[in-house]
Amino acid sequence: MPIIEVDGVRKAYAGRVAVDGVGFSVEEGEIFGILGPNGAGKTTTVECVEGLRIPDAGTVRVAGLDPATDRDRVTLLLGAQLQESELQPKLTVGEALRLYSAFYPHPADWRSLAERLGLDSHLDRRFAKLSGGQKQRLFIALALIGNPRVVVLDELTTGLDPRARRDTWQLIEEIRDSGVTVLLVTHFMEEAQRLCDRVAVIDKGRLVALDTPAGLIDRTAGSTVISFTPSEPLPAAELAGLPGAASVSVAESDGRVLVHGTDDTANAVISLLARHRVTARHLRVLETSLDDAFLDLTEQDART
């Protein structure tokens, strides 16, 4: 049985629909991403999973339990780092860890947790004096201190510099490797592509795609991009007829050719150049990113 099951969840605020029939399941031991732009309904969806909001329609189960009616039992199974989290400014790291540890019957060893997350040298530092990365590490520790089976991380790396963000990614991978299922909410495509086993894309409150990051990229029209400037113009008909090509464009200014296609298209471009004895300057072959896939998916959603 999946550790999390969301089925047909709908939630509206003052007549405005925030989540409209969203459904997905999360398998135990995976990093499952919820991806979407700001205001898409991601946080409302996970707040229903956490039991912080009650859906207007649909069902949510965490390890078979209803987060709304079985709140106490779900609290012992699920740890959460909220999108906006604060602690009392004068509270020290050690005091926060001891306080949260007291909330659970069988908590993790907070000292070991602090050491694991690089907080052991900051136990006497007040919350207000922590850097952004240190605060995020503390919130991860507080989410894990109850020994949960599932941890929800909502926009965890927003506001962090690139180094702190990548350090946090490594921590998330370590959490998953320790056996904890991770539900990761993000609008950073690189983050989702790096970390997630599967991704649910939510846009305007609706689920528009659910797949692995690679699967979402493969859906994109032209998952491989080939760009080059030929030493001489190539026949337009042969460019347009390249196998697997989704689109071909030629810049009027410098004749640069841009082809969206597949791996077969890239091979065909090389053959075409050789056949016409044309040299390709600045040849680049790039894989489509999750950014491209996301834009393609949400643009399709906007047209339907």
Side-chain angles (χ1 to χ4, degrees), residues 154-232:
D154 191 352
E155 304 286 9
L156 180 64
T157 60
T158 297
L160 298 184
D161 61 63
R163 170 57 60 189
R165 180 174 294 131
R166 290 183 180 275
D167 289 345
T168 303
W169 291 353
Q170 183 175 347
L171 287 174
I172 294 170
E173 290 173 327
E174 291 173 0
I175 291 168
R176 188 269 306 280
D177 292 343
S178 72
V180 178
T181 302
V182 178
L183 183 59
L184 178 68
V185 183
T186 184
H187 61 266
F188 291 121
M189 308 300 159
E190 184 185 3
E191 184 166 283
Q193 188 168 354
R194 156 77 182 268
L195 295 174
C196 296
D197 298 296
R198 291 187 299 137
V199 174
V201 180
I202 296 178
D203 188 33
K204 300 182 181 68
R206 297 190 294 120
L207 182 72
V208 297
L210 175 58
D211 207 334
T212 64
L216 293 177
I217 291 170
D218 286 343
R219 296 189 194 187
T220 306
S223 58
T224 299
V225 180
I226 309 102
S227 65
F228 61 95
T229 302
S231 57
E232 297 178 17

Side-chain angles (χ1 to χ4, degrees), residues 248-271:
V248 178
S249 62
V250 180
E252 293 183 3
S253 58
D254 60 0
R256 187 167 188 79
V257 178
L258 186 65
V259 182
H260 289 260
T262 65
D263 288 344
D264 289 340
T265 311
N267 293 331
V269 166
I270 301 301
S271 298

Side-chain angles (χ1 to χ4, degrees), residues 15-27:
R16 184 184 67 84
V17 177
V19 178
D20 188 8
V22 167
F24 57 84
S25 63
V26 179
E27 299 299 325

Side-chain angles (χ1 to χ4, degrees), residues 4 10 22 31 37 43 67 83 86 89 93 103 111 137 141 177 181 197 217 221 227 245-246 276 281 294 296-297 303:
I4 297 173
R10 187 181 189 278
V22 167
I31 299 177
T43 293
Q83 187 178 44
E86 289 292 331
V93 170
F103 296 157
R111 295 172 185 82
R137 286 171 179 264
D177 292 343
T181 302
D197 298 296
I217 291 170
S227 65
H276 288 276
R281 298 189 299 273
F294 176 77
D296 191 55
L297 286 165
R303 293 193 293 266

Side-chain angles (χ1 to χ4, degrees), residues 8-19 48 53-59:
V9 164
R10 187 181 189 278
K11 184 68 180 178
Y13 304 105
R16 184 184 67 84
V17 177
V19 178
C48 291
R53 298 192 186 276
I54 300 175
D56 299 330
T59 60

